[in-house]
Amino acid sequence: MIQSKYQWLSREEKTSITSSLIEKFNLTPIMRKVLESKDITTESSIEEILSSNAINHDSKQLSDIEKATERIHNAINKQEPILVYGDYDADGVTSTTILVDVLERLGAVVSWYIPNRFTEGYGPSELAFRNAHDEGIQLIITVDNGIQGHNEIRLAKDLGMDVIVTDHHEIGETLPEAFAIVHPMHPEYSYPFQYLCGAGVALKLAQNLISDIPSEYWILAMIGTIADLVPLKDENRYIVKKGLSLINDRVPVAISALLNQAGFSETITEETIGFLIGPRLNAVGRLEEASLAVELLMTKEIEEAEFLAEQVEYFNNERKAIVEDITEEAMDMAEIDIKNGHQFLLLAQEGWHEGVLGIVASRIVEQFNLPTMILNIDRQQSTAKGSARSITQVSMYDILNEHRTLIDKFGGHHMAAGLTLSVDQVDPLREALNKWMTLHFEDEDLKPEKQIDAVLDIEDITIENIQSIERLRPFGSEFNRPIFRFNRLVIQDAKGIGQQKKHLKIAFTEQNLQGLYWNQGDLAQVMTKDQSIDALGELQINEWNGFQTPQIILKDLKSDERQILDYRNKTKHLPEFNAQTCYLIHPSEDKKSDNEFYYGEPIEARYEKCVFRDLPLTIEDIQTSLQHINASQIYLVFNHQKSIYFEGVPKVEVFKKCYKALYQKGKTNLVQEGMQLSQFLKVDPNILKFILKVFLDLGLIAQKNGTIEIVPTQQKLSIESSRVYQARLERINVEKILLYQDFSSTRNWIEAQMLKEN
């Protein structure tokens, strides 16, 4: 049995897309299933997904945008110095680039500033605002931040500077005292779409400042929208679709340079942005100041872009290396905590880079499905600072808010948070969070969920169907790439691939289909040929040497079949087992724990896994054990010191010839004459030893001090009646069935024994 990582949630089946709409939009059955699963069934909602028609709301509907526009034009006319105050993530640097560029086009005296993540943190900085005043700045425009900067904006106002806030983050109970607030969720306005990212808001302001905005602004807003994971619907969807269309028509030099560094030269999709461009733009701000990313995005010179992109790539590689190192350490710590029963993983260490702790926390959550907090310990400052990521069932904001007396500062939302606390509060917070989890959740309650869009038959997995799914792109937040369920897929082969066999590749018996499961290479050890599994995954087209084949990018899998796993090869290492594992051992071995049993011994407790560690004495012993075992996984190891299967059993004529030679000799010294006797009989010395043991068992000979003598007898004895002889026959049969049959035959034999009644 293979347990799924997720609870599989099936959507209620709907057939509400009318035949006329299916015909109008040329929907394939698989497209219809996906759209219905996402409750996209009306003509307008389908049109929004499939059409390129603009959902480009009038920028004048945004809060204070006319007031902001007038103030900006006045500043330009008077040549008042303007500061664009940005943020250090991909959304922040694209927002900054849009606004600085449009102001420069309008002839403004403009500069820009990105706060340092480590020394200033997120949002307006008092020191930065004071420095701006000292440098003669008269107008500050925030992008992708500012809505929570009440004190700093009041300071700017007191210093005689105006502040225009352009932001998209959650608005608090009160608004800052800014000159203007351009925000899609402003409570006093009703902008048609509330979920623009920072770059989207900057784009709308640019649209209000100039009549015909450059294509680069759409591209930058597209990057910010994808990277910031805002809902990919309504106006965001239009921004992304238009941006992707424009970037594939003409790639800006900065983006081209980044793609060159990444070795990418294919069609640019939302996945290219999400997995290649966004992380690289974010990497700089995670390790150093993000100004380098803005400089790259602003340049129009190819040589300069290549130079700056090379530096960005350096930071990205460094970021990945740091993430891998910290993740490895954090994984080890998490495993210890889980063994100790922790349900909230608070992992803290000195020397962890604060800029990547959110990524590490996400990795831990992905692996263990538990809310996780990763903290860097700063002994000099006596503080711990880091990031937390959660699972659907647990609101990170709520759980931290309930323990705010232990925390100096925190902020976040349901799924993520950042926080700072005193070092001496780390252990109390860990204890309190785990106590809270124990009170509110059982283990099963914490199993994460995976929503299924549709169940597909094997016949549905065709190149044509996968191509039709691509018509629904772009995919993203709140319009994810569809997850399909596939039942009873049969494994042809399963193996680990990549460095350290980190990823799993499965070849299925059905129509040349294969599956890839990232970071799950260990599962290859518990998969067998002809095993049937149910799987969740996305569909892709794999292209190799000009051939196209369908493949599943697996997201989860499970199997209710009992697994019998072949570990008889001594080079194959057993995985680590938990307390729900029993071991069957040879009767000559001493038991070292309560979960070790001799073959044939009753096993009353139920175990999830059973390891057949040693070779049994008899087939009957293992048959008895198999009829009492109800484990979902059985590991065949069958350790043994020596095999006799290929030596076999000598014929009766050899026994007679040996007895005759001993009889004629009278007394035989084995030390001096044993080898000569072996050669005479034309048998291996081990076979001679066996023959002599049979004679001893039957009382035909006696042995004293290495000398064999015949024991006179009138009784006619059968060689086959010897217990030693029968034991050898039994051992050969044991080895034949358990060691030397092909694995499928041994597995079938074991399954047959387990079906027999006790």
Side-chain angles (χ1 to χ4, degrees), residues 477-537:
S477 180
E478 296 192 21
F479 189 74
N480 296 320
R481 179 178 281 276
I483 299 290
F484 300 107
R485 176 170 179 163
F486 311 93
N487 293 327
R488 296 178 296 281
L489 295 173
V490 179
I491 295 173
Q492 175 70 28
D493 181 52
K495 61 184 178 181
I497 61 171
Q499 288 186 345
Q500 301 173 332
K501 308 294 183 184
K502 190 175 181 181
H503 311 297
L504 176 68
K505 182 177 182 180
I506 305 176
F508 298 106
T509 57
E510 293 86 356
Q511 59 182 45
N512 199 27
L513 179 66
Q514 68 178 20
L516 294 177
Y517 200 176
W518 305 120
N519 300 311
Q520 298 296 324
D522 288 346
L523 281 175
Q525 298 181 50
V526 295
M527 291 186 164
T528 57
K529 188 178 186 302
D530 298 329
Q531 181 181 355
S532 175
I533 64 169
D534 297 340
L536 298 186

Side-chain angles (χ1 to χ4, degrees), residues 118 322 326 329 333 346-358 360 373-388 419-424 426 430:
F118 310 104
I322 293 170
I326 298 176
E329 293 180 29
M333 296 167 67
L346 193 162
L347 312 173
Q349 180 92 303
E350 285 188 73
W352 281 354
H353 199 297
E354 293 173 10
V356 302
L357 297 187
V360 176
M373 182 183 297
I374 309 290
L375 300 175
N376 175 56
I377 302 294
D378 186 336
R379 294 290 179 191
Q380 288 186 331
Q381 301 294 325
S382 295
T383 59
K385 184 178 180 182
S387 298
L419 71 160
T420 303
L421 65 155
S422 174
V423 168
D424 58 11
V426 170
R430 179 186 290 111

Side-chain angles (χ1 to χ4, degrees), residues 267-386:
T267 300
I268 299 171
T269 69
E270 70 275 18
E271 292 175 346
T272 314
I273 304 301
F275 292 107
L276 294 182
I277 300 299
R280 282 167 168 77
L281 294 177
N282 278 323
V284 184
R286 290 188 182 279
L287 301 186
E288 297 287 344
E289 293 186 2
S291 303
L292 174 62
V294 180
E295 291 172 7
L296 171 62
L297 292 176
M298 287 184 177
T299 187
K300 303 295 189 292
E301 301 296 326
I302 295 176
E303 289 186 3
E304 183 181 9
E306 292 290 348
F307 172 74
L308 294 172
E310 189 175 338
Q311 295 181 61
V312 170
E313 187 69 14
Y314 168 80
F315 282 113
N316 187 54
N317 289 333
E318 186 178 3
R319 185 267 306 171
K320 287 193 288 188
I322 293 170
V323 167
E324 289 301 322
D325 289 343
I326 298 176
T327 299
E328 185 176 346
E329 293 180 29
M331 286 283 185
D332 292 340
M333 296 167 67
E335 288 175 356
I336 294 171
D337 281 1
I338 290 170
K339 287 179 181 177
N340 291 330
H342 291 206
Q343 290 184 315
F344 191 111
L345 301 175
L346 193 162
L347 312 173
Q349 180 92 303
E350 285 188 73
W352 281 354
H353 199 297
E354 293 173 10
V356 302
L357 297 187
I359 300 174
V360 176
S362 296
R363 296 265 188 96
I364 302 298
V365 171
E366 182 181 354
Q367 180 67 26
F368 298 110
N369 305 314
L370 293 173
T372 300
M373 182 183 297
I374 309 290
L375 300 175
N376 175 56
I377 302 294
D378 186 336
R379 294 290 179 191
Q380 288 186 331
Q381 301 294 325
S382 295
T383 59
K385 184 178 180 182

Side-chain angles (χ1 to χ4, degrees), residues 606-745:
R606 180 182 176 86
Y607 291 92
E608 294 175 0
K609 301 176 182 179
C610 184
V611 179
F612 286 31
R613 196 189 74 185
D614 302 324
L615 202 63
L617 278 176
T618 69
I619 286 296
E620 184 180 357
D621 286 345
I622 192 172
Q623 286 174 321
T624 302
S625 294
L626 286 169
Q627 290 167 24
H628 290 85
I629 289 171
N630 200 19
S632 60
Q633 287 184 337
I634 294 176
Y635 293 78
L636 305 184
V637 181
F638 296 136
N639 288 331
H640 57 284
Q641 293 296 319
K642 182 178 180 295
S643 172
I644 64 169
Y645 177 75
F646 295 105
E647 293 179 357
V649 178
K651 295 179 180 179
V652 174
E653 288 74 13
V654 177
F655 282 91
K656 291 180 177 179
K657 187 176 181 180
C658 181
Y659 183 81
K660 184 177 180 180
L662 294 173
Y663 185 84
Q664 291 175 344
K665 187 77 172 171
K667 292 184 178 181
T668 303
N669 187 303
L670 285 179
V671 176
Q672 297 174 357
E673 302 173 89
M675 186 57 68
Q676 183 181 354
L677 182 57
S678 293
Q679 292 171 351
F680 170 72
L681 297 174
K682 298 180 180 179
V683 297
D684 186 88
N686 288 326
I687 294 296
L688 176 59
K689 289 179 182 178
F690 165 65
I691 292 172
L692 296 177
K693 285 181 181 178
V694 171
F695 289 164
L696 284 168
D697 180 50
L698 293 173
L700 296 174
I701 63 173
Q703 180 179 358
K704 185 176 182 181
N705 299 325
T707 299
I708 297 293
E709 293 184 22
I710 294 294
V711 176
T713 179
Q714 298 297 320
Q715 187 179 3
K716 190 171 183 179
L717 299 173
S718 167
I719 295 298
E720 289 86 350
S721 66
S722 165
R723 290 175 301 173
V724 172
Y725 185 91
Q726 290 300 322
R728 187 176 183 89
L729 290 178
E730 183 65 35
R731 171 59 184 254
I732 288 173
N733 193 36
V734 166
E735 292 186 14
K736 174 185 175 183
I737 294 174
L738 302 181
L739 292 182
Y740 296 116
Q741 283 192 128
D742 62 90
F743 177 64
S744 61
S745 298

Side-chain angles (χ1 to χ4, degrees), residues 426-571:
V426 170
D427 288 338
L429 181 62
R430 179 186 290 111
E431 183 178 348
L433 293 174
N434 274 285
K435 184 177 180 180
W436 189 93
M437 291 291 295
T438 302
L439 290 172
H440 289 80
F441 295 101
E442 300 290 338
D443 286 345
E444 190 62 27
D445 297 334
L446 297 175
K447 194 169 185 178
E449 300 170 346
K450 188 71 78 174
Q451 191 72 54
I452 301 167
D453 287 288
V455 179
L456 298 186
D457 295 325
I458 195 70
E459 295 79 14
D460 297 322
I461 309 174
T462 64
I463 297 296
E464 293 73 19
N465 269 338
I466 299 174
Q467 288 172 336
S468 75
I469 295 171
E470 297 300 295
R471 288 179 56 202
L472 302 176
R473 298 181 79 157
F475 299 113
S477 180
E478 296 192 21
F479 189 74
N480 296 320
R481 179 178 281 276
I483 299 290
F484 300 107
R485 176 170 179 163
F486 311 93
N487 293 327
R488 296 178 296 281
L489 295 173
V490 179
I491 295 173
Q492 175 70 28
D493 181 52
K495 61 184 178 181
I497 61 171
Q499 288 186 345
Q500 301 173 332
K501 308 294 183 184
K502 190 175 181 181
H503 311 297
L504 176 68
K505 182 177 182 180
I506 305 176
F508 298 106
T509 57
E510 293 86 356
Q511 59 182 45
N512 199 27
L513 179 66
Q514 68 178 20
L516 294 177
Y517 200 176
W518 305 120
N519 300 311
Q520 298 296 324
D522 288 346
L523 281 175
Q525 298 181 50
V526 295
M527 291 186 164
T528 57
K529 188 178 186 302
D530 298 329
Q531 181 181 355
S532 175
I533 64 169
D534 297 340
L536 298 186
E538 302 169 354
L539 286 176
Q540 274 189 0
I541 296 174
N542 179 44
E543 297 194 25
W544 179 255
N545 287 338
F547 291 97
Q548 291 186 329
T549 55
Q551 71 179 6
I552 305 172
I553 303 301
L554 295 162
K555 300 299 179 182
D556 199 12
L557 52 82
K558 64 181 179 181
S559 175
D560 294 330
E561 291 183 4
R562 178 185 290 112
Q563 292 175 279
I564 300 174
L565 304 165
D566 189 5
Y567 279 78
R568 295 174 299 177
N569 184 340
K570 295 184 184 299
T571 62

Side-chain angles (χ1 to χ4, degrees), residues 14 25 58 167 172 219 266 328 403 436 470 516 610 626:
K14 303 174 184 177
F25 292 107
D58 185 358
D167 200 356
I219 292 171
E266 303 170 25
E328 185 176 346
H403 299 90
W436 189 93
E470 297 300 295
L516 294 177
C610 184
L626 286 169

